[in-house]
Amino acid sequence: MGYLSTVKDEELQRTLQRHRELVAACGVFILLFGLVRALTQPIGMDPLFVRIAVALTCFIYIPLTFTRPVRRYPFFAISVMATIILAFVIFLAHRTQFNANSCFSVLVTALMCSLVMQTKWSLIVFFSGTFVIVSVFLLITPESQVDAFFFLAALLTLCVFTYFNQRNRMETESELRHATRLAEVAAESQRRFLANMSHEIRTPMNGVIGMAELLQSTELNAEQREYLRTIEVSGELLLSIINNVLDYSKADVGQIKLEQVDFDIRDHLAETLKMVAASAGERHIELHSNVSPEVPRYLTGDPHRFRQVLINLLQNAIKFTERGTVTVQIDADIKDEVCILSCAVTDTGIGISPTAVDSLFDEFTQADSSTTRKFGGTGLGLAITRALVELMQGKIEVSSTEHQGSTFSFSVEMAVAEQNPRSNQEVEQGTNQDSNPAGLEPGSLKILLAEDNIVNQQVVAKMLALMGCQTDVAEDGRSALTAIRSGNYDLVLMDLQMPEMDGLEVTRTIRHEMPDIPCRIVAITANAFEEDRVACLAAGMDDYLVKPLQRTALEATLNRVLPNGFFAASKA
């Protein structure tokens, strides 16, 4: 509904703007025409003061369209103004005994005023009233200089022609507005559906992946570890598909936002290659990388989205390569502190046919159906990759030869960082270390887990137990609020969707009604959209974790949120 009201406001603004322009044009036309007549004809034949009055009426009315009544009922106000203008012009024609110029003014003004009408009935009333008024004034004008029948016939022809033309325009505009609203409502419904599906799928996935990760810490034989590895790979594949669908949905509605942080491009590339090294090793594919000396070590951009692009291309290269190598080449062109980073991922795989290259970056598209059956995939990876590259002010291309391999090249814009980002982190860490208001000691971390799903309770509580934390569990929002009031917790892991009170409401209550409680609050949720993260931070939460949780991500978040060095020491 918010979007529809925005569309309506924008539509009214455009209508009022068109109205102002038309009214101003009428005023200028009438005034100039009066001046010309005053210079070429006796004033008595064409009184200039009447034309000046009409023009001034037009210009005075323009600022009135900014007032609240006109903005609230613009179509009615516009119709009234158009009728007043035309009535002045008809009166002027009567005063000049309907000479040729005045009759022409009536026809032109009627045509221009009809353009601001927004409904068929307003057009019918406007033209009917115009025809009747002109007829009356022709009857009461004793010495009309124009043939009354001929002028009325011309006016009637103009009215009929303009009516049908305007009616078609109105119908077309109405259909377009309706189609736009339906499309936006459908897009919003799609976004909500994907958000709900993401939540419903991620919640049980948290149990599957979390329990599999916990199972790794137990004693298993070789066969059991093989089964566990299959569970993990299948879970990661399903999670990757879910993330691709969500990223595509975000890109489709323009909801992907880029961060601007400093990072080490060489370390970033090394970490990215480590993430795909296992899958490459299973297929006996060699991974190579080369970063040109011209590439600055430290850049400012979105490292997570840059890594996502690289991983998508690397995973594709590995998937479609049966043997050989996959190589990453990074070059740079620096102009005025702006670095154009050029990256190429080359493989020795099956290649792509020339006919399939053009549609390769389209949604839900792969080279052919046999590829889909043999290699799997949703066909969203490259579409998302292209959207991310274009969001980073770049472009992506592909060159390929069948049975020999492919090269995916992309370029993005990044700024050259002024200093080592690690030095910034060290400064921040030093600041945090000096200000440890809680006075926490290793091993004394007390955490409240607010989570209504029993499986998720078991997974997160077990992870925290392995980290040496004391954990209490609250099954709904109201119980969590009661526990926080009575307990002394260092941190709260807060689910967003809970019975009684949701996580956002609980957090707002804590921050507003209990400002003296210093505990940190971290959201753990299956809602993976950007607006969910923004809502969590706006409610007063300190950080945001997306399910399914992994122990490494949980550890990193606790290290980031809690006073520096505490959690690392507690693990030791």
Side-chain angles (χ1 to χ4, degrees), residues 221-264:
N221 57 39
E223 184 178 10
Q224 290 170 334
R225 290 196 177 277
E226 181 180 353
Y227 295 158
L228 182 59
R229 176 60 181 164
T230 302
I231 294 174
E232 288 180 332
V233 171
S234 300
E236 291 171 359
L237 177 60
L238 179 57
L239 185 60
S240 174
I241 293 174
I242 296 171
N243 289 335
N244 277 343
V245 172
L246 288 178
D247 280 338
Y248 168 71
S249 175
K250 294 176 186 178
D252 193 39
V253 296
Q255 290 186 338
I256 295 181
K257 306 298 182 183
L258 294 180
E259 295 180 344
Q260 294 297 320
V261 297
D262 297 345
F263 68 100
D264 187 325

Side-chain angles (χ1 to χ4, degrees), residues 15 74 89 105 212 260 279 314 360 373 378 423 430 433 468 488 511:
T15 301
V89 174
S105 298
Q260 294 297 320
S279 57
L314 285 168
L360 196 61
R373 289 194 299 270
T378 60
S423 63
Q433 193 169 10
N488 185 22
R511 297 309 188 203

Side-chain angles (χ1 to χ4, degrees), residues 20-319:
R20 295 179 191 119
E21 293 170 356
L22 285 171
V23 169
C26 285
V28 171
F29 171 78
I30 294 168
L31 184 59
L32 291 179
F33 190 79
L35 291 174
V36 171
R37 290 286 294 164
L39 295 175
T40 59
Q41 300 289 339
I43 296 180
M45 294 290 296
D46 194 0
L48 179 60
F49 75 90
V50 179
R51 293 187 182 275
I52 294 176
V54 175
L56 289 177
T57 303
C58 294
F59 291 119
I60 290 173
Y61 185 74
I62 290 176
L64 295 181
T65 59
F66 292 96
T67 61
R68 184 173 180 180
V70 175
R71 289 172 61 86
R72 188 172 182 181
Y73 305 104
F75 300 143
F76 175 76
I78 289 171
S79 301
V80 170
M81 185 60 199
T83 304
I84 293 174
I85 292 174
L86 184 58
F88 267 115
V89 174
I90 294 174
F91 175 72
L92 175 62
H94 165 68
R95 291 291 300 271
T96 57
Q97 299 178 345
F98 282 96
N99 58 31
N101 291 326
S102 297
C103 291
F104 178 73
S105 298
V106 172
L107 295 177
V108 171
T109 307
L111 175 62
M112 296 182 68
C113 291
S114 70
L115 297 179
V116 301
M117 300 299 168
Q118 297 296 318
T119 64
K120 291 184 290 186
W121 283 109
S122 63
L123 268 177
I124 292 173
V125 172
F126 176 76
F127 283 134
S128 300
T130 300
F131 191 81
V132 171
I133 293 173
V134 170
S135 301
V136 171
F137 272 102
L138 281 173
L139 289 175
I140 64 175
T141 303
E143 299 179 358
S144 176
Q145 298 182 27
V146 71
D147 183 83
F149 178 79
F150 175 79
F151 180 58
L152 289 176
L155 180 61
L156 181 61
T157 302
L158 175 69
C159 292
V160 172
F161 173 79
T162 305
Y163 169 76
F164 284 106
N165 183 66
Q166 290 291 86
R167 187 189 66 176
N168 293 336
R169 177 187 63 83
M170 293 173 184
E171 291 176 351
T172 303
E173 289 182 353
S174 177
E175 291 173 0
L176 288 175
R177 287 194 296 268
H178 183 64
T180 301
R181 289 169 181 167
L182 287 180
E184 293 298 331
V185 170
E188 178 64 17
S189 299
Q190 177 193 17
R191 190 199 67 80
R192 291 183 179 276
F193 171 76
L194 289 174
N196 291 335
M197 288 303 298
S198 169
H199 182 273
E200 295 303 319
I201 295 175
R202 284 175 181 273
T203 299
M205 282 297 297
N206 188 55
V208 174
I209 295 179
M211 284 298 184
E213 186 174 352
L214 292 174
L215 195 57
Q216 282 184 335
S217 61
T218 63
E219 294 184 3
L220 302 172
N221 57 39
E223 184 178 10
Q224 290 170 334
R225 290 196 177 277
E226 181 180 353
Y227 295 158
L228 182 59
R229 176 60 181 164
T230 302
I231 294 174
E232 288 180 332
V233 171
S234 300
E236 291 171 359
L237 177 60
L238 179 57
L239 185 60
S240 174
I241 293 174
I242 296 171
N243 289 335
N244 277 343
V245 172
L246 288 178
D247 280 338
Y248 168 71
S249 175
K250 294 176 186 178
D252 193 39
V253 296
Q255 290 186 338
I256 295 181
K257 306 298 182 183
L258 294 180
E259 295 180 344
Q260 294 297 320
V261 297
D262 297 345
F263 68 100
D264 187 325
I265 183 64
R266 288 168 174 80
D267 288 350
H268 199 68
L269 176 60
E271 294 170 0
T272 302
L273 292 176
K274 287 180 182 179
M275 297 175 69
V276 297
S279 57
E282 291 175 356
R283 300 175 67 90
H284 305 289
I285 296 172
E286 297 181 9
L287 286 177
H288 299 289
S289 65
N290 181 42
V291 181
S292 299
E294 297 82 10
V295 178
R297 186 169 188 87
Y298 306 113
L299 297 172
T300 301
D302 193 326
H304 304 295
R305 294 302 181 182
F306 180 72
R307 172 176 289 168
Q308 186 177 355
V309 171
L310 276 180
I311 287 179
N312 281 349
L313 296 180
L314 285 168
Q315 287 178 339
N316 260 12
I318 293 169
K319 181 167 65 172

Side-chain angles (χ1 to χ4, degrees), residues 333-348:
D333 182 17
I334 302 176
K335 294 180 180 179
D336 300 328
E337 300 300 322
V338 176
C339 177
I340 307 299
L341 205 62
S342 301
C343 307
V345 178
T346 304
D347 64 66
T348 57

